[in-house]
Amino acid sequence: MKKIAVKASKPYEVLIEQGIIKNCGKLISDVTKTRFAAIVTDDIVDSIYSDTVISSLEESGFRVVKFVFKNGEPSKCSETLNRIYDFLAENNITRSDCLIALGGGVVGDITGYAAATYLRGLGFIQIPTTLLAQIDSSVGGKTAIDLPCGKNLVGAFKQPELVICDPLTLKTLSPETVSDGMAEAIKYGMIRSSELFGIIASHSIENYFDVIDDIIFRCVSIKRDIVENDEFDKGERMLLNFGHTLGHAVESFYNYTKYTHGNAVAVGMHMITEQAVKHGDCEKSALEKLDAVISSYKLPLVTDAPVSELISLCSNDKKCESSNINAIICSDTGISSIRKMPFDEFRKYMEA
Ligand SMILES: NC(=O)c1ccc[n+]([C@@H]2O[C@H](COP(=O)([O-])OP(=O)(O)OC[C@H]3O[C@@H](n4cnc5c(N)ncnc54)[C@H](O)[C@@H]3O)[C@@H](O)[C@H]2O)c1
Ligand SMILES: [Zn+2]
């Protein structure tokens, strides 16, 4: 088993092993005194993994209750959140009991936010089942729900007590969902590790599973290092936003219908790096490598959306302070920096 210790304001471990989900009861009983667990999951994950998780919890002496909501981003809303609060209240969950988020980033984000707020906070455990959730959303303590006027607008920093990562669960994902998560893995390689980038680049969507444990371990380690230095997102954590400012603009331009998050981030990484090459800020060979790896994971490089409109949408990005934008630029694979520039300069940079 691979273990990564995260020293956040509240320390916790990320455990990575194929098949580990079968032993989750024992692992959870090691980090909590309670023997009452409430699982929150979505309908698809429920149909594949709940039985295994519940059996393991029961074997370790847990009484288990479960709340299931419809899969998909539209469920990450206040209505589902209120239903989770009602479910917790109806089952008399106390502050010493534990909540378990079983699923992708949607389940993790909304369950984490419920854990941050219900009874002013109770412990929660992440069992992420998508690649994105395993390498990104389950680590770092950001939780949120969406509002009708924007994504992730209501949230809290809430660290989990434990993250149980079973790469075997990725076997039941659609190839599109794997590609989506892989965009984030490529991002980690670009911003921090040419070695990770090389491992990803020497595989493809066909055979990535051969090295999946290593990819997850390396991605989580990078995220751990970055969030340990900047838990509350005031500086270095912005590096994780590589490809995201433009990516969010692409998602938003198409009203979150045409591009999934990972697809939009792939486009965003290509766009900013292409401009960086034009300005002499990035090696041309790095752009070529980035483009090749994006394509080998069946992710897009370009979009039909006009650049000028995408740039205008960037000013609405949460990560953008009033008139400045923090552009994340990679000078080579594995090397990134934050370049704070006035919005007008960013427009010129992107339109050159
Ligand atoms: N908190 C953070 O730091 C952070 C970081 C990045 C993204 N996010 C959030 O994560 C969310 C996206 O997460 P996601 O991409 O995991 O989406 P998701 O949770 O919607 O999962 C994608 C789909 O895969 C299904 N699924 C999940 N696990 C499965 C499995 N093992 N087998 C088969 N199907 C499975 C789900 O039912 C869903 O239909 C967004 O809401 C985003 O805002 C949060
Ligand atoms: Zn992302």
Side-chain angles (χ1 to χ4, degrees), residues 132 136 184 187 240 244 248 261-262 265:
L132 180 137
D136 190 355
E184 303 286 355
K187 173 194 81 179
L240 297 170
H244 277 61
H248 289 150
H261 179 68
V265 167

Side-chain angles (χ1 to χ4, degrees), residues 2-246:
K2 292 183 194 294
K3 265 189 207 184
I4 297 169
V6 185
K7 292 190 222 73
S9 48
K10 208 174 73 36
Y12 59 96
E13 282 186 314
V14 181
L15 310 178
I16 306 162
E17 187 177 65
Q18 295 191 20
I20 197 177
I21 203 174
K22 289 200 202 95
N23 305 324
C24 67
K26 164 82 179 73
L27 299 166
I28 293 171
S29 69
D30 289 345
V31 297
T32 175
K33 289 199 189 77
T34 182
R35 289 298 172 263
F36 186 26
I39 297 175
V40 176
T41 188
D42 73 28
D43 52 353
I44 293 182
V45 179
D46 179 48
S47 67
I48 316 176
Y49 298 107
S50 279
D51 287 352
T52 310
V53 170
I54 292 172
S55 307
S56 174
L57 285 163
E58 287 178 348
E59 270 168 36
S60 294
F62 281 88
R63 183 163 76 84
V64 186
V65 289
K66 180 179 81 174
F67 178 85
V68 182
F69 63 82
K70 186 172 171 353
N71 73 91
E73 186 73 27
S75 292
K76 207 176 99 176
C77 61
S78 56
E79 203 241 313
T80 312
L81 179 70
N82 284 330
R83 285 167 52 219
I84 295 173
Y85 290 147
D86 288 345
F87 156 79
L88 298 174
E90 282 156 14
N91 286 288
N92 298 314
I93 294 282
T94 69
R95 289 182 76 181
S96 52
D97 295 323
C98 89
L99 256 182
I100 299 174
L102 172 65
V106 165
V107 170
D109 274 14
I110 196 166
T111 310
Y113 188 63
T117 47
Y118 187 70
L119 301 178
R120 298 193 187 84
L122 67 156
F124 92 113
I125 283 152
Q126 293 263 22
I127 308 184
T129 62
T130 63
L131 182 55
L132 180 137
Q134 295 187 352
I135 65 175
D136 190 355
S137 59
S138 66
V139 181
K142 281 192 186 176
T143 71
I145 59 163
D146 303 331
L147 295 182
C149 59
K151 280 184 68 175
N152 297 323
L153 289 180
V154 177
F157 287 98
K158 171 77 180 172
Q159 305 297 337
E161 318 252 290
L162 179 67
V163 182
I164 299 173
C165 211
D166 186 343
L168 269 189
T169 60
L170 307 182
K171 289 263 187 191
T172 53
L173 287 176
S174 65
E176 292 74 26
T177 314
V178 174
S179 293
D180 236 32
M182 212 41 99
E184 303 286 355
I186 295 167
K187 173 194 81 179
Y188 286 114
M190 283 299 290
I191 62 170
R192 257 305 150 77
S193 167
S194 58
E195 215 176 311
L196 167 63
F197 187 90
I199 294 168
I200 299 171
S202 60
H203 292 76
S204 70
I205 193 67
E206 264 77 43
N207 63 359
Y208 77 96
F209 203 83
D210 297 349
V211 282
I212 194 63
D213 293 20
D214 195 23
I215 290 177
I216 295 169
F217 180 79
R218 286 169 186 269
C219 290
V220 173
S221 302
I222 292 171
K223 182 148 187 190
R224 186 265 318 267
D225 292 347
I226 291 177
V227 300
E228 273 183 3
N229 286 335
D230 181 21
E231 182 171 348
F232 299 109
D233 204 6
K234 301 227 157 43
E236 191 180 340
R237 198 164 175 162
M238 280 185 244
L239 292 176
L240 297 170
N241 217 26
F242 175 56
H244 277 61
T245 303
L246 286 154

